Amino acid sequence: MGSLVITRVRYSGNKYFYDSPVLTPGINIIVGDNGSGKSTFTYFIEYAFGGKVKPFTGDDGGGRYSLILEDSNNYVLVDFSINGVGYSIKRFIDTQEIFVDEASGTRALAVSRQSAPYIFSDWLLEKLNIPVFELNMGATHWYFNFTDLFRLLNYDQNTETRKIFKAPVAENFVADSTVIRKSIFEILLGMSSAEYFKKLDEAKAALKKRDDAKALLDNFIAHNDIDYVDNDVLANKKEDLEHLLENLESERNSYLKRNSTVDDKIGELSEIQENLLNLELEASKDRIDIVNLSSERSRVNRLHDGLLQEISQIEKIIFTHDKLDLFSMEICPFCMTDKKHIEKGFCICGSKFQDDDYEKFVYDSSEYKDILSHKKKSISAITLAKETYDEDIDKLDKKIAKNTELITEFTARLKNVISTAEFAGNSTVVDELNDRIINIREELFDVVNSLKVSVIEQRLKDDYLEKNKIFGFAQGSFNKAKIEFENNNRDTITAFNEVYSQLLAASSYKSKKAEIDEDYMPFIDEGEYKANSSEVPKRLMYYFTILSLSLKLDSVKHPRFLLIDTPEDSGIDTDHLNQNLELLDMAIDLAKDEKGFVKDYQVILTTGYGRLPAQYEKYVVEKFMEKEGNFILKPKTQDIS
């Protein structure tokens, strides 16, 4: 399993910026007034990791974050580590592409699976050692992305507390169905779900292939009257008949030649020779055209490769440009100090210039994105040109092949005309030979047909036996995975219930017995009614329990990371909220080994002033305050000359 730790969160635009302090493993707390930016901090993290944040898009029902939507050239940049290996991700606002910076270089990955076969989520899950899990639900095919699993990593304030799971990105009955939620829980808890369903799908696919092979074999036998004859016997008989036919044809041809005289075929010979000459000339011209087209295609290929390199360089520039700030138009490119008191209309060298004379060779990130888009459009046009060259060459190849067939045909006709003679022998002998040849050919046709049918039947039998064997292996693997799935589930659920029951009993809920049902939803005190404020500890302890198990059990795939945004809704009072938050320590303690060691983890919590246990003050890393004008987004100062 992988361990995810966020180390820094940044936002940058032409109008506003934010740069977080360094975040560390363990507990990190951000406090602030309502509206000062606590939730925005969590939005930045969710958006950078591929999530859909409605305030950043202006979608109906999600509010509209005007400061961000009206900013330009703006993006979120997050530094993080997985198992101690550092990475950076950068995502521009209102885009479906994430730039990933790692040791091997920088590359752009799509957010949506509809845009590319390999997306950012695949890359991230691969680093976290979580398989890209597919689920088939009748006509619906579901790929689980990191944003799905994030529903149990992020305790947000926008989701109704009683629902436990964070609301899904895709708002439809499938995305929030019981089977999807159960699968998310099973994947994160390492309950062999991915392996189980993978083996189940493999067994189903193998069964279908076996049944299809059996149906093909049965259908073939039903439509062919097959008398079993060994293929070797049929092959030997075919060879004997072919040899006999060859001898008879040779005998007939010899007899015809001995009793023939040469006829005048000069006119026909001349016509055939002229056709052959024209075809040879045309084929020669086509071969020259292929050489020329191949040369042009090679040139376009070199141009295509060059553009790919340029695109790769621009992707790296997009990621590093704003971080390094080497080309700011407010910084002197020579002494690297602020350019002050430069009169409008004058260059840095002091020369006066007109707008028409001015050329700009330094761009900001959004302009580089436009250049990247232009380059990608260019490479699409070049790809089309490559395909056109390929099509032209393919057409010429087919034309040459057709002409070659015609050349062969005319050559045969030429030989036939030359050998044509006026017959002067006994026609009865020739007729007898022709009859025997016809009979042998008919018998040979039957033998060849029987051999083909026999070969096809044997191939279908072999295919069925092979697929039946594969199904046997697949079914055996599935049965083994099913046993492991059920055993592991039982042990993991037992461990979950033990921790969850302890935490909820110590919380403001004061439960007597807590466990999860077959849908992995809390079932507490036999379903006895509790006030709305009790929904906070019920949900919060659920998340604490998963974190605790991820620290305790190696089988759990949860990346030991929690993002908790202002758990103050449902009317819970401060004392009860603090009582519940303190249980994070208990959840961590329950995961310690015999030597008191606990694995690395990270919890990022946002909350209001005075809504925090006193002993947690030491974990505060960032403060926002409305009355001091200290909001998360800070305006950029710009010199006006």
Side-chain angles (χ1 to χ4, degrees):
M1 65 180 176
S3 172
L4 174 66
V5 175
I6 293 175
T7 54
R8 203 164 188 180
V9 178
R10 280 168 280 187
Y11 167 86
S12 178
N14 287 337
K15 295 181 180 179
Y16 303 98
F17 77 97
Y18 172 71
D19 193 353
S20 79
V22 175
L23 306 175
T24 60
I27 302 173
N28 299 261
I29 299 178
I30 292 89
V31 296
D33 299 323
N34 289 337
S36 61
K38 302 188 303 294
S39 293
T40 303
F41 186 91
T42 65
Y43 289 162
F44 285 157
I45 294 174
E46 181 179 0
Y47 186 75
F49 280 93
K52 180 181 179 182
V53 178
K54 288 186 176 180
F56 290 1
T57 62
D59 286 353
D60 293 339
R64 190 174 188 277
Y65 208 127
S66 299
L67 295 183
I68 289 177
L69 291 175
E70 294 172 7
D71 203 352
S72 58
N73 189 34
N74 48 343
Y75 59 85
V76 177
L77 180 66
V78 173
D79 298 330
F80 64 100
S81 65
I82 296 177
N83 297 330
V85 180
Y87 305 95
S88 290
I89 51 177
K90 182 177 185 179
R91 184 181 180 189
F92 285 84
I93 299 300
D94 197 25
T95 65
Q96 294 298 308
E97 197 171 42
I98 297 176
F99 292 87
V100 179
D101 188 39
E102 53 184 327
S104 60
T106 302
R107 57 175 166 168
L109 294 171
V111 172
S112 171
R113 198 170 297 280
Q114 296 175 343
S115 303
Y118 184 81
I119 64 174
F120 170 75
S121 174
D122 298 333
W123 175 88
L124 183 58
L125 292 178
E126 182 181 306
K127 298 298 181 184
L128 291 170
N129 294 322
I130 298 176
V132 179
F133 178 43
E134 305 172 46
L135 183 64
N136 293 301
M137 300 180 292
T140 305
H141 183 74
W142 189 273
Y143 273 97
F144 282 90
N145 293 332
F146 180 77
T147 51
D148 295 305
L149 305 185
F150 196 68
R151 295 176 63 188
L152 278 182
L153 304 182
N154 179 204
Y155 182 114
D156 68 323
Q157 62 172 321
N158 296 324
T159 301
E160 293 181 47
T161 310
R162 63 182 179 84
K163 289 189 174 181
I164 305 295
F165 280 64
K166 171 180 164 60
V169 175
E171 296 179 349
N172 56 63
F173 73 95
V174 175
D176 203 28
S177 63
T178 300
V179 67
I180 295 295
R181 291 198 304 269
K182 288 181 65 175
S183 296
I184 291 171
F185 183 91
E186 291 168 353
I187 292 170
L188 285 178
L189 271 293
M191 293 167 62
S192 304
S193 166
E195 186 67 16
Y196 171 79
F197 284 110
K198 178 182 177 182
K199 296 297 184 184
L200 175 59
D201 287 344
E202 289 176 353
K204 287 181 178 178
L207 176 61
K208 184 178 184 304
K209 289 181 179 179
R210 187 204 68 175
D211 290 345
D212 289 345
K214 184 67 165 59
L216 285 173
L217 176 61
D218 292 344
N219 184 66
F220 184 81
I221 293 174
H223 288 81
N224 290 275
D225 186 14
I226 302 173
D227 294 326
Y228 179 77
V229 180
D230 187 85
N231 286 349
D232 291 337
V233 173
L234 289 173
N236 291 333
K237 187 174 182 180
K238 173 178 172 289
E239 186 178 347
D240 292 341
L241 289 172
E242 287 175 339
H243 183 66
L244 178 58
L245 180 62
E246 182 181 354
N247 290 336
L248 287 173
E249 288 178 341
S250 178
E251 182 181 349
R252 181 190 63 182
N253 292 338
S254 297
Y255 183 80
L256 288 171
K257 286 181 181 180
R258 289 194 307 269
N259 296 275
S260 299
T261 58
V262 176
D263 192 16
D264 182 14
K265 299 289 183 178
I266 301 300
E268 188 175 357
L269 283 172
S270 177
E271 182 184 352
I272 294 174
Q273 287 174 333
E274 183 178 356
N275 288 332
L276 278 172
L277 179 61
N278 291 333
L279 287 170
E280 291 287 359
L281 288 174
E282 189 173 352
S284 177
K285 179 179 176 298
D286 289 340
R287 291 189 183 95
I288 293 173
D289 288 343
I290 285 179
V291 172
N292 292 334
L293 285 173
S294 298
S295 177
E296 286 295 315
R297 182 175 62 180
S298 297
R299 185 179 65 82
V300 171
N301 284 340
R302 290 194 296 271
L303 182 60
H304 181 269
D305 294 341
L307 264 178
L308 285 179
Q309 292 181 359
E310 290 181 23
I311 288 172
S312 176
Q313 291 172 350
I314 291 172
E315 288 178 340
K316 294 178 182 177
I317 290 171
I318 287 174
F319 195 92
T320 59
H321 178 276
D322 292 292
K323 186 192 295 186
L324 298 177
D325 200 22
L326 293 178
F327 306 117
S328 172
M329 298 307 292
E330 302 168 10
I331 302 296
C332 174
F334 305 106
C335 64
M336 302 306 290
T337 58
D338 291 345
K339 299 183 291 186
K340 300 182 182 296
H341 309 300
I342 298 176
E343 290 188 52
K344 187 175 181 180
F346 285 84
C347 180
I348 190 171
C349 66
S351 299
K352 185 174 179 60
F353 62 83
Q354 300 296 327
D355 288 342
D356 292 341
D357 301 328
Y358 176 65
E359 291 187 63
K360 181 181 178 185
F361 297 98
V362 180
Y363 310 99
D364 62 23
S365 290
S366 64
E367 290 170 318
Y368 275 119
K369 284 179 79 265
D370 291 338
I371 294 172
L372 178 62
S373 177
H374 175 73
K375 293 290 186 184
K376 287 185 176 179
K377 288 180 181 178
S378 297
I379 206 168
S380 297
I382 292 173
T383 301
L384 179 60
K386 286 177 59 181
E387 292 173 355
T388 302
Y389 279 122
D390 290 339
E391 289 175 1
D392 290 344
I393 291 173
D394 183 58
K395 288 179 182 177
L396 285 174
D397 283 336
K398 291 179 179 178
K399 184 180 177 184
I400 290 173
K402 183 178 180 181
N403 285 343
T404 301
E405 290 180 5
L406 288 173
I407 290 171
T408 303
E409 180 183 335
F410 278 114
T411 302
R413 285 178 58 187
L414 183 64
K415 292 180 179 178
N416 184 54
V417 170
I418 293 173
S419 62
T420 300
E422 183 179 346
F423 182 65
N426 188 344
S427 60
T428 303
V429 175
V430 176
D431 291 341
E432 289 178 354
L433 288 171
N434 285 334
D435 289 342
R436 292 180 64 190
I437 288 172
I438 291 171
N439 292 334
I440 295 299
R441 282 179 176 174
E442 289 177 352
E443 186 178 359
L444 179 61
F445 175 81
D446 291 338
V447 170
V448 169
N449 188 57
S450 297
L451 185 58
K452 285 181 179 179
V453 170
S454 180
V455 168
I456 293 173
E457 181 194 18
Q458 189 60 48
R459 177 173 57 79
L460 291 175
K461 283 183 179 179
D462 292 342
D463 185 56
Y464 165 70
L465 293 173
E466 178 64 21
K467 285 182 170 58
N468 189 47
K469 182 179 179 182
I470 292 173
F471 168 69
F473 285 128
Q475 186 66 35
S477 296
F478 167 69
N479 291 337
K480 182 179 179 182
K482 183 178 180 182
I483 294 172
E484 293 177 355
F485 173 71
E486 292 173 347
N487 291 340
N488 186 53
N489 284 6
R490 184 166 47 252
D491 295 341
T492 303
I493 290 172
T494 299
F496 185 98
N497 288 338
E498 290 175 356
V499 175
Y500 188 53
S501 186
Q502 290 183 61
L503 291 176
L504 206 58
S507 73
S508 61
Y509 198 105
K510 300 297 181 184
S511 64
K512 297 176 183 178
K513 181 181 180 182
E515 57 187 5
I516 52 177
D517 60 20
E518 60 183 10
D519 293 330
Y520 310 134
M521 289 291 100
F523 183 73
I524 306 167
D525 294 342
E526 303 299 327
E528 182 179 345
Y529 170 77
K530 286 281 187 176
N532 286 339
S533 60
S534 65
E535 298 294 342
V536 172
K538 184 172 77 171
R539 184 186 183 201
L540 194 59
M541 296 309 113
Y542 193 95
Y543 282 69
F544 284 178
T545 299
I546 297 176
L547 176 64
S548 181
L549 292 181
S550 72
L551 295 170
K552 185 175 183 179
L553 304 177
D554 291 335
S555 60
V556 174
K557 298 292 185 181
H558 188 283
R560 310 200 294 269
F561 171 84
L562 277 184
L563 180 62
I564 304 173
D565 181 25
T566 318
E568 304 164 10
D569 55 0
S570 301
I572 190 168
D573 60 69
T574 300
D575 290 340
H576 283 156
L577 176 63
N578 289 346
Q579 176 187 355
N580 295 322
L581 290 175
E582 289 174 356
L583 293 177
L584 177 58
D585 288 333
M586 180 178 176
I588 303 302
D589 289 339
L590 288 173
K592 290 180 178 178
D593 62 16
E594 297 176 353
K595 297 181 181 179
F597 173 78
V598 67
K599 300 170 185 174
D600 281 342
Y601 67 93
Q602 186 179 56
V603 176
I604 299 177
L605 166 68
T606 72
T607 188
Y609 286 100
R611 310 278 282 177
L612 189 69
Q615 66 270 30
Y616 278 19
E617 290 290 339
K618 61 185 177 181
Y619 299 127
V620 175
V621 296
E622 180 72 291
K623 295 181 178 181
F624 305 123
M625 187 171 291
E626 183 178 6
K627 65 180 180 180
E628 295 181 0
N630 181 22
F631 298 95
I632 187 170
L633 292 183
K634 298 171 177 56
K636 284 188 174 180
T637 56
Q638 298 181 351
D639 292 334
I640 302 176
S641 300

